[in-house]
Structures are given as C-alpha cells and as structure tokens.
Amino acid sequence: SSGINAEYGFDKLNMTSEEIKTFTEALKKEEFRKLFMEYAQELQDPEKRKQYEDELSMLEQQRGVDMKFVKPDPGFVVKVQDTEGKKVFINICRSDLIEKPEFTV
C-alpha cells in the first residue's frame, strides 16, 4: 500500500496509516466531498477565512497554545532535479514572523 501512498502523494504528508485510510474512505463518500469542497470555497472568502482564524486562535488559547497564522510574502522559485531526475520546485518566501536562519559550527 506504500505504492498507493506515493501514487496519491500521501507519502509526503505527516499522516499515520490509519489517518490516510480514514481520509481515503471519507473521500469515497459524496457527502464528505461536498462538505470538504464547501469548506475549501469558504476559505477563499477573506471574511470567512478571518472568522475561521479567529475561532481557531481562540480555541488554541483556551488550550494554552500561543499560535499565529503565517502569511508569507512571495519571493521566488528554484527549479532543481532530485536524484531520480524528477523536477522539484522550491518556493522561497519570507515572513517577519519567522526568524532568520542561523548556522553555527
């Protein structure tokens, strides 16, 4: 089943086998697909997205978690090849909420 995971891109997600199975089964159900698409469309509306972010922030604060939504500024794209010769695109962006990387020897 790892071939199926790679075929659909699940191997690149941080999901357990059980989560992948549950999500795959849910996608087979028309009602779930409908609700998922409605949710995705709602997030395209800036007012709805703000409402969602405010609600999520409030829930996380209740749990004692300090969170921020990072909305990076676009930068540029680097196109490279992996060890198998497949194209890989790396999007480089920035945000004032993310500290500069450091390197020490």
Side-chain angles (χ1 to χ4, degrees):
S1 147
S2 64
I4 292 173
N5 291 343
E7 178 182 350
Y8 291 104
F10 286 131
D11 59 325
K12 294 176 177 51
L13 300 175
N14 186 17
M15 295 174 72
T16 65
S17 296
E18 187 63 31
E19 289 169 331
I20 291 170
K21 179 181 175 190
T22 301
F23 189 65
T24 302
E25 289 301 314
L27 284 172
K28 292 177 183 177
K29 298 176 183 172
E30 184 176 343
E31 181 65 17
F32 177 82
R33 289 193 312 269
K34 179 183 170 213
L35 291 171
F36 191 74
M37 290 305 298
E38 285 175 9
Y39 170 73
Q41 288 174 342
E42 278 184 12
L43 290 180
Q44 299 302 311
D45 178 346
E47 289 180 23
K48 294 270 188 188
R49 180 181 284 266
K50 170 126 178 50
Q51 178 185 356
Y52 168 76
E53 290 176 357
D54 290 346
E55 291 172 358
L56 189 56
S57 293
M58 184 180 67
L59 289 169
E60 291 300 321
Q61 284 176 354
Q62 290 173 353
R63 292 182 35 204
V65 175
D66 181 30
M67 65 169 275
K68 294 180 180 160
F69 287 90
V70 176
K71 297 174 182 146
D73 298 320
F76 55 93
V77 176
V78 176
K79 178 180 158 185
V80 296
Q81 290 184 340
D82 67 11
T83 56
E84 297 173 356
K86 294 180 183 176
K87 292 180 191 175
V88 177
F89 296 91
I90 303 170
N91 291 311
I92 308 295
C93 54
R94 63 170 301 284
S95 171
D96 292 336
L97 295 176
I98 307 294
E99 296 180 19
K100 285 184 174 184
E102 294 181 13
F103 178 75
T104 56
V105 179

